[in-house]
Amino acid sequence: MMTKQILPVAICVLNTSISGASEPWDRGLISDQATKLGYKVPRVIDLARVTLGSLIAECAEHRAAAVVLPSLDHLSIGALKTLQAAGLDVATVYPEIARHDIVKAGDR
């Protein structure tokens, strides 16, 4: 009998005021990056429309292990520190960085 693989969760985050016309492209890139890193993605959140507190609450609700961004331009240094203090890994597409190696199912 096969067991179902349980993937860790990542919330994809962008700021449409920074993405501008590239928003659809950025959404695809961050979702692809999260999948490549071994996460499932229940939501994409726009920081131009929600507070950092709402993002943290959403991550807690989904038991997210990480957030994935197009680049660090989409997040202030203070927000980055807040996410890291909340125990969330942060990964970006440009440059391709992550606070962790590729996550394997069941590691979290």
Side-chain angles (χ1 to χ4, degrees), residues 2-105:
M2 293 186 88
T3 59
K4 185 177 179 183
Q5 213 176 25
I6 299 174
L7 298 176
V9 172
I11 301 294
C12 290
V13 178
L14 58 79
N15 187 325
T16 53
S17 65
I18 293 169
S19 289
S22 298
E23 177 190 351
W25 180 252
D26 283 350
R27 283 179 180 270
L29 287 174
I30 55 180
S31 292
D32 289 349
Q33 182 74 343
T35 300
K36 176 180 161 186
L37 291 170
Y39 294 108
K40 71 176 180 177
V41 180
R43 298 236 14 224
V44 176
I45 293 180
D46 179 3
L47 282 177
R49 297 174 187 233
V50 301
T51 65
L52 183 59
S54 295
L55 171 59
I56 298 284
E58 192 78 27
C59 288
E61 179 182 327
H62 288 284
R63 296 188 177 126
V67 295
V68 180
L69 306 150
S71 69
L72 290 177
D73 295 340
H74 288 253
L75 204 61
S76 71
I77 294 296
L80 176 62
K81 288 180 180 180
T82 300
L83 293 174
Q84 290 177 328
L88 293 159
D89 288 332
V90 176
T92 60
V93 177
Y94 297 113
E96 190 172 327
I97 62 167
R99 255 190 52 196
H100 54 80
D101 292 327
I102 293 178
V103 175
K104 293 181 178 43

